[in-house]
Amino acid sequence: MKIYFDTIRHLKLSQLFWQLRYKIKAKQFLKNKYFNNLYDEFESLSFVNTEILYKKNLLIEPLIFKFLNLEKKFVEKINWNFSEYGKLWNYNLEYFDYLHQQDISIEERIKLINDFYNYSLLNKRTLEPYPVSLRSINIIKFSIREGITDRRILNFVYQELSFLDKNYEFQILGNHLLENAFALCLGGAFFKREDWLKKAIRILYKELREQILEDGAHFELSPMYHQIILFRVLELIDWYQNYGDKDANFLSFCRDIASKMRSWAGNIQFANGDIPLFNDSAKGIAYDIATLNDYADILGIESKNLPLGQSGYRSFLNSNYEIKIDLAQIGASYQPGHAHADALSFILYSQELPLIVEQGTSTYQIGKRRNLERSTEAHNTIVLNGRDQSEVWGGFRVGKRAKTTIRYEGQNGYTGSHNGYKNLGIIHTRSFIFEEAKIQITDTLSQNGNAKAYLHLHPDRRLSKINDKRFIIDDMVTIDFDGAETIVSDDYEYADSYNQYRLAKRLVISFERELSTTIFFKHSR
């Protein structure tokens, strides 16, 4: 029962209220009815006409879809309730991102939309706010770009948005609530529903002020979700700046938010354009930062050039290596669904290639793999007595959680600590010292413990043992361990994308009180 208390106590009271309300609320479905208040003429909106906005290769050919690196060929007709690949795959099927593929005829795309709505009516498919939000945006954008005025389709979109207006995800908050508001902002303008638009703008004002931190990070602290939300803000600016009844203050506010978010995206990415896969992050889901920067440039949005700060992530770069350090809290406190038990972990690149990584995020399916990927063991940090620093459980929940404190930060190093093992009477402190061709990492426990440090190598790296305390990677990077009792090299499955795994090596270093890890880079540039 304690894990439930430790989970619930971080929630907002409003979340508990809305969770109870939604549990007792009857499920809702699409109905075959016509809305008389639908205008004959829809609001004339426009988006930047550029290839950067098109997602490709989701619909391979009619009846063949590929999401999350899993391909499915339907026979004769689409099963819109297909669940063999999990809930997230099914959500991607109904998001309709593939409406923006220019290699599919307009007629075929219209046919897909009608098929979905026909299936939903026939099978009483439950409406859910998050996929409704994304689907509505995609269908409205498609209609605007291609000049589609199919009243039957738009009637269903209107019906879905009417449902969404009464079912904002206040029980979840976070990125879900933002997506709800982005959808109703666009839908309110398109369908000339001023009440939808005004309510959505009020929510966006409140939530973007709260969810975008002082250094520009999205507060769920996933670089991937940061990219997703940054795209949504840019998309909103794109159409809203040409909207006839726009609020200049709201537009200015959104541009300022986008500028801050662009700054953090630039700070968190590696020099080669990769993002560190901290928390729930994977490749191939969000638009990459280069594409987002191109979009921002088109819209005239510059980066604020803010330093990394409130998010808790830190970065260091020189001619030999680049490191991203996680000194962050579990985020957000009342919505930690995408958080991992990863305090004081790091990701290291050398010569713009990944060297030390984390196990990654490959699935949202509740089970053994999801539990592993959120666990402390899956990250480059310390495990005590085989326990996680924070109690990650249930796929998207966190009970007891570590609190991280930044003890020191300077030009050439950082020191942080966390209290995730205070129930064992132990505080873990880790310091990083950076030199031109060397990194010194020192782990100190406030008292002796059964500790294991984990270092996960990228699959492309070759590990060799020199002696019991020294290893070499690719004949170029040497790692020494002082204070280690034993060092074991074993295999793990690395995932930088959903449902794709590669075998790689990791080092598991056992120690009791203090461990000094020195990484030497053989050749300076």
Side-chain angles (χ1 to χ4, degrees):
M1 290 297 295
K2 188 175 185 302
I3 194 171
Y4 291 99
F5 171 76
D6 287 333
T7 301
I8 292 171
R9 70 187 181 91
H10 292 280
L11 299 179
K12 291 186 174 184
L13 288 176
S14 62
Q15 285 177 283
L16 298 175
F17 168 79
W18 286 105
Q19 282 187 19
L20 179 61
R21 179 169 176 174
Y22 287 133
K23 281 185 183 297
I24 62 176
K25 198 172 187 179
K27 291 181 179 180
Q28 297 182 60
F29 316 96
L30 283 175
K31 298 178 181 178
N32 199 7
K33 67 176 183 178
Y34 184 80
F35 286 86
N36 293 322
N37 56 342
L38 221 60
Y39 287 89
D40 289 328
E41 295 293 331
F42 303 100
E43 184 67 30
S44 178
L45 303 175
S46 64
F47 289 86
V48 171
N49 185 19
T50 170
E51 284 290 326
I52 68 171
L53 302 180
Y54 299 145
K55 286 194 172 184
K56 300 179 180 180
N57 302 322
L58 301 175
L59 178 57
I60 309 301
E61 59 182 72
L63 301 181
I64 301 178
F65 296 86
K66 187 174 183 179
F67 310 114
L68 310 175
N69 298 306
L70 296 175
E71 186 174 303
K72 171 63 180 176
K73 181 177 182 179
F74 292 102
V75 179
E76 294 185 0
K77 60 182 180 179
I78 298 168
N79 174 12
W80 293 99
N81 280 335
F82 177 74
S83 60
E84 185 178 328
Y85 292 161
K87 189 78 168 176
L88 186 59
W89 197 96
N90 182 262
Y91 275 171
N92 275 267
L93 178 64
E94 60 173 298
Y95 290 161
F96 279 88
D97 281 330
Y98 42 85
L99 288 179
H100 310 304
Q101 287 184 219
Q102 299 300 291
D103 56 342
I104 309 170
S105 71
I106 293 174
E107 292 74 20
E108 182 64 28
R109 286 178 272 175
I110 292 173
K111 181 181 176 182
L112 286 167
I113 299 171
N114 277 313
D115 186 64
F116 171 79
Y117 283 130
N118 289 338
Y119 183 98
S120 298
L121 287 171
L122 182 63
N123 294 277
K124 290 191 173 182
R125 205 167 184 279
T126 304
L127 289 170
E128 296 180 70
Y130 190 78
V132 162
S133 298
L134 274 61
R135 180 167 59 252
S136 299
I137 290 173
N138 282 322
I139 295 177
I140 291 174
K141 283 173 61 179
F142 169 64
S143 300
I144 291 169
R145 287 183 186 284
E146 306 298 346
I148 306 300
T149 56
D150 187 314
R151 289 189 62 81
R152 182 175 185 272
I153 289 175
L154 294 179
N155 181 73
F156 284 126
V157 175
Y158 186 90
Q159 188 179 156
E160 291 198 281
L161 288 172
S162 298
F163 157 81
L164 183 60
D165 180 55
K166 297 176 178 61
N167 290 276
Y168 274 94
E169 292 176 275
F170 293 118
Q171 81 281 20
I172 296 176
L173 301 174
N175 71 84
H176 278 238
L177 185 56
L178 285 177
E179 294 284 12
N180 302 159
F182 287 130
L184 278 159
C185 198
L186 176 62
F190 182 71
F191 287 110
K192 300 181 181 180
R193 282 293 302 265
E194 189 175 347
D195 54 334
W196 291 355
L197 180 60
K198 286 184 175 180
K199 183 178 178 181
I201 287 175
R202 286 199 306 270
I203 290 172
L204 287 171
Y205 263 127
K206 178 181 182 298
E207 292 302 319
L208 288 172
R209 284 188 180 115
E210 180 173 354
Q211 293 191 34
I212 306 307
L213 304 179
E214 292 174 3
D215 62 357
H218 182 251
F219 75 164
E220 292 184 49
L221 302 179
S222 154
M224 181 184 78
Y225 278 95
H226 179 91
Q227 291 168 279
I228 291 170
I229 297 303
L230 173 54
F231 173 73
R232 284 292 184 223
V233 175
L234 294 173
E235 181 182 63
L236 170 59
I237 293 166
D238 189 353
W239 69 264
Y240 192 76
Q241 66 184 355
N242 297 315
Y243 176 55
D245 292 328
K246 65 177 173 289
D247 180 333
N249 290 330
F250 178 63
L251 179 59
S252 177
F253 167 76
C254 290
R255 294 181 69 88
D256 185 66
I257 289 291
S259 181
K260 289 174 65 177
M261 294 188 75
R262 182 177 181 181
S263 174
W264 192 84
N267 285 329
I268 204 64
Q269 72 174 341
F270 285 99
N272 70 350
D274 289 352
I275 58 168
L277 302 181
F278 288 135
N279 291 319
D280 279 348
S281 294
K283 294 181 178 180
I285 302 299
Y287 289 111
D288 62 39
I289 292 174
T291 300
L292 294 172
N293 283 338
D294 287 344
Y295 196 7
D297 286 341
I298 290 169
L299 298 174
I301 296 168
E302 298 181 353
S303 169
K304 273 192 177 295
N305 294 319
L306 302 169
L308 291 174
Q310 189 182 2
S311 65
Y313 292 130
R314 297 294 185 267
S315 179
F316 182 87
L317 167 68
N318 69 16
S319 61
N320 284 299
Y321 59 87
E322 185 174 10
I323 188 170
K324 306 295 179 180
I325 303 170
D326 184 350
L327 301 171
Q329 310 297 340
I330 289 287
S333 61
Y334 56 83
Q335 179 43 275
H338 297 297
H340 292 193
D342 58 358
L344 310 187
S345 186
F346 68 95
I347 297 174
L348 177 65
Y349 276 38
S350 178
Q351 298 182 12
E352 297 192 2
L353 293 173
L355 179 70
I356 295 175
V357 293
E358 297 183 325
Q359 291 203 21
T361 299
S362 68
T363 182
Y364 283 175
Q365 286 288 90
I366 296 173
K368 185 177 179 180
R369 180 70 196 187
R370 175 65 174 163
N371 292 340
L372 172 64
E373 290 177 348
R374 297 183 76 208
S375 73
T376 304
E377 177 187 335
H379 302 82
N380 302 309
T381 187
I382 306 301
V383 174
L384 279 177
N385 289 7
R387 302 184 188 182
D388 290 328
Q389 307 159 340
S390 298
E391 291 179 318
V392 288
W393 67 283
F396 298 93
R397 303 188 186 280
V398 183
K400 180 185 69 65
R401 54 200 65 180
K403 180 180 179 182
T404 305
T405 302
I406 299 176
R407 302 291 180 185
Y408 168 82
E409 54 183 316
Q411 195 170 19
N412 295 306
Y414 300 96
T415 299
S417 65
H418 74 83
N419 66 356
Y421 296 114
K422 63 183 179 181
N423 57 329
L424 301 175
I426 297 176
I427 300 297
H428 171 212
T429 300
R430 169 172 277 185
S431 67
F432 297 85
I433 299 175
F434 308 126
E435 298 181 22
E436 182 61 28
K438 183 174 76 172
I439 301 175
Q440 182 82 40
I441 303 172
T442 303
D443 290 295
T444 306
L445 308 179
S446 57
Q447 66 181 39
N448 286 358
N450 177 17
K452 290 182 179 179
Y454 289 83
L455 288 180
H456 298 81
L457 273 64
H458 187 270
D460 292 339
R461 299 302 194 178
R462 185 180 72 259
L463 178 69
S464 302
K465 181 177 180 180
I466 298 175
N467 58 44
D468 288 346
K469 301 293 177 70
R470 173 173 287 190
F471 291 77
I472 189 166
I473 304 170
D474 292 349
D475 298 323
M476 290 184 62
V477 178
T478 304
I479 308 181
D480 285 358
F481 299 97
D482 185 16
E485 292 185 339
T486 61
I487 303 174
V488 175
S489 170
D490 63 15
D491 294 331
Y492 80 96
E493 287 186 319
Y494 171 71
D496 63 2
S497 305
Y498 284 90
N499 300 301
Q500 289 191 335
Y501 306 95
R502 297 175 63 191
L503 206 61
K505 289 290 184 182
R506 71 176 181 180
L507 293 172
V508 183
I509 308 101
S510 299
F511 70 101
E512 284 191 349
R513 188 65 175 268
E514 184 169 295
L515 175 68
S516 179
T517 303
T518 308
I519 305 173
F520 298 94
F521 298 84
K522 191 173 181 181
H523 300 298
S524 298
R525 293 186 183 178

